[in-house]
Amino acid sequence: MRILISNDDGVTAPGLAALHAALADYADCVVIAPDQDKSGASSSLTLDRPLCPQTLANGYISLNGTPTDCVHLGLNGLLEQTPDMVVSGINLGANLGDDVLYSGTVAAALEGRFLGGTSFAFSLLSRLPDNLPTAAYIARKLVEAHKSLELPPRTVLNVNIPNLPLEHIRGIQLTRLGHRARAAAPTKVVNPRGKEGYWIAVAGDAEDGGPGTDFHAVMQGYVSITPLQLDRTFNDAFERLDGWLEGLL
């Protein structure tokens, strides 16, 4: 069993080290991760410059690119052997609801879709590493159990773990994505030379966060698992669009 591990917090992030340590005695693990924090990179690929991997003293491979770059290279020739699975994280911070559109953590797992099996994206609901052992334990348990999964090809399991000690975790819930409200307005700044700029504000609060959603599960102390697929085709709209398009050309 060969596992490719990546993240979007960067190659020196504590969550990456915790995930690798949790899986290292279970499988042959290789780490390819961005050389800096690439949170919010989504599924972007670097196309305007070459990518230059560097192997660090701990054996991790650092890449001057995005999380998707890391997995893309890992699956397409950088490694001597093709991995069997991609596991991403452990992200310090939630990836709930609409966050999956922007998340580099989820994007790395999505790039693993070409392997045909299930990929995992793990996130801890905290910017601090205090409860990383909880997240690492849960990641190990879920990855260990993956062989009994029967899911369609190209499925990603997005896993969010409450910021709690393990003994306070109430269980695991299967959830759907909730939805956030619009984010606050960007914060305007002016540099010493008078040039204006903007900081993107924090994500909006949960607007659709009731029972059954990932938001609700983690707020109740449960690990949330949401199955994701890349296909975003809105099949229910076909009938209305057929009528709308009729006779236009």
Side-chain angles (χ1 to χ4, degrees):
M1 177 71 178
R2 292 181 297 275
I3 296 179
L4 171 57
I5 300 174
S6 193
N7 75 344
D8 72 356
D9 285 343
V11 72
T12 62
L16 184 73
L19 184 58
H20 179 258
L23 298 177
D25 66 345
Y26 168 72
D28 178 15
C29 296
V30 60
V31 173
I32 309 177
D35 62 0
Q36 57 186 291
D37 189 335
K38 287 292 185 179
S39 298
S42 188
S43 289
S44 57
L45 286 169
T46 300
L47 304 175
D48 61 347
R49 54 184 167 80
L51 298 168
C52 303
Q54 292 187 317
T55 302
L56 307 182
N58 62 1
Y60 294 3
I61 298 173
S62 174
L63 192 72
N64 60 328
T66 68
T68 299
D69 289 330
C70 294
V71 177
H72 186 83
L73 262 63
L75 301 189
N76 295 289
L78 181 61
L79 303 178
E80 291 185 4
Q81 292 182 296
T82 302
D84 300 301
M85 172 188 287
V86 172
V87 179
S88 180
I90 299 166
N91 192 65
L92 291 184
N95 278 304
L96 301 164
D98 308 72
D99 299 343
V100 303
L101 295 172
Y102 312 105
S103 168
T105 304
V106 174
L110 282 170
E111 191 66 10
R113 68 190 181 275
F114 296 105
L115 296 175
T118 300
S119 300
F120 289 85
F122 293 103
S123 301
L124 176 68
L125 270 72
S126 176
R127 297 294 181 186
L128 300 175
D130 303 33
N131 286 309
L132 266 177
T134 299
Y137 176 85
I138 290 167
R140 170 62 180 258
K141 285 293 186 182
L142 290 174
V143 172
E144 273 185 331
H146 86 278
K147 289 185 178 179
S148 60
L149 272 174
E150 294 184 4
L151 291 173
R154 303 187 173 209
T155 301
V156 171
L157 294 182
N158 185 40
V159 183
N160 281 274
I161 300 135
N163 183 35
L164 297 169
L166 183 60
E167 61 269 22
H168 293 162
I169 297 290
R170 298 179 64 186
I172 300 175
Q173 287 189 356
L174 185 62
T175 60
R176 65 173 177 86
L177 294 177
H179 296 286
R180 291 190 183 276
R182 286 177 60 179
T187 301
K188 185 177 179 179
V189 294
V190 182
N191 74 13
R193 293 179 176 82
K195 186 173 182 179
E196 295 180 353
Y198 294 87
W199 281 103
I200 297 293
V202 296
D205 294 330
E207 187 173 61
D208 172 17
T213 68
D214 47 3
F215 287 103
H216 188 268
V218 294
M219 291 303 104
Q220 298 301 312
Y222 291 91
V223 175
S224 163
I225 299 186
T226 306
L228 307 175
Q229 283 206 309
L230 184 65
D231 185 358
R232 294 196 218 162
T233 306
F234 184 18
N235 291 291
D236 290 346
F238 271 60
E239 185 176 343
R240 294 182 183 182
L241 285 168
D242 276 342
W244 178 67
L245 291 171
E246 188 176 351
L248 284 182
L249 291 178

